[in-house]
Structure formats: C-alpha cells, structure tokens
C-alpha cells in the first residue's frame, strides 16, 4: 500500500473541486470529518474548517507562483527529455537557471 502523507509527517491539503473565484461556499465545518466518509469528502470537510481554509490560502504565496513564473516567464511548458532520471536532471537545470536569475536580479 502507498504511504499516506500523515505517515510521512506531513499534512495534505488537496483541492477536491475546481471553483470560480465568484462561486463561493462560505459554509464552515468543525473538527474532523464524520466516520465512514470517503477520502474525497473527508478532504472537502477538512478544507472547509477555519484552519483548513487558512492553510490552503497560503498556497498562493508559498510555492505555486514559482511554477507560474517558470511556465510564463521562461516559457517552459513541458520537459523535453524522456525517462525519469533525464527529466529530473532537466527540471533541476530549469530550477537552477530560475534561481540564478533571481540572485542576479536581486543581489
């Protein structure tokens, strides 16, 4: 069986649906999901808690902007090399270029 995020010492907050910004559901939940709910419903419950909303909202400022910058500013939409090892090396090279450019511009 695959390892669960809680077994690895991390707490996952994963979107369960796509919503428009104007399509808001402001209903809040409290505590953990009721017993017997499927994993998707349990995650939806978790994201509707006050803590879940605050943690999930931080994603906009933490990691995701980097991927947007790499995709838009660098024009990297897909990896060109095949195989896990080659793709991993290509991604590391892309990240290296991104970080070096940041150091050059700000330092």
């Amino acid at each position: 069986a695959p390892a669960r995020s809680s077994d690895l010492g991390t707490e996952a907050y994963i979107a369960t649906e796509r919503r428009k910004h104007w399509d808001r559901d402001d209903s809040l939940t409290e505590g953990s999901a009721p017993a017997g709910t499927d994993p998707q419903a349990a995650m939806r419950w978790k994201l509707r808690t006050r803590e879940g909303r605050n943690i999930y909202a931080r994603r906009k400022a933490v990691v995701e902007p980097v991927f947007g910058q790499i995709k838009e500013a660098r024009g990297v939409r897909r990896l060109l090399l095949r195989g896990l090892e080659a793709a991993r090396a290509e991604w590391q090279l892309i990240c290296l270029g991104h970080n070096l450019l940041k150091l050059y511009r700000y330092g």
Side-chain angles (χ1 to χ4, degrees):
R4 300 179 67 103
S5 63
S6 57
D7 297 340
L8 300 173
T10 59
E11 189 68 29
Y13 290 85
I14 303 168
T16 58
E17 56 200 357
R18 292 183 61 100
R19 306 182 106 191
K20 300 289 184 188
H21 291 286
W22 50 265
D23 181 22
R24 294 180 51 125
D25 179 9
D26 290 334
S27 60
L28 282 174
T29 57
E30 291 185 18
S32 56
T37 57
D38 63 285
Q40 186 173 4
M43 183 58 67
R44 192 175 300 118
W45 180 281
K46 182 177 172 181
L47 289 174
R48 287 186 179 165
T49 63
R50 192 171 308 279
E51 179 186 16
R53 285 188 179 194
N54 290 336
I55 290 172
Y56 190 74
R58 290 189 60 220
R59 79 192 189 287
K60 293 177 257 182
V62 178
V63 175
E64 291 185 9
V66 173
F67 294 109
Q69 291 166 7
I70 288 174
K71 287 171 70 175
E72 291 299 319
R74 312 282 172 267
V76 177
R77 292 286 181 173
R78 64 179 68 165
L79 299 177
L80 302 174
L81 300 178
R82 294 171 57 151
L84 182 60
E85 189 175 332
R88 190 172 281 147
E90 183 179 358
W91 180 249
Q92 288 175 342
L93 187 61
I94 291 166
C95 291
L96 174 71
H98 178 78
N99 289 329
L100 285 174
L101 187 58
K102 277 190 167 188
L103 287 172
Y104 172 74
R105 285 189 177 153
Y106 300 113

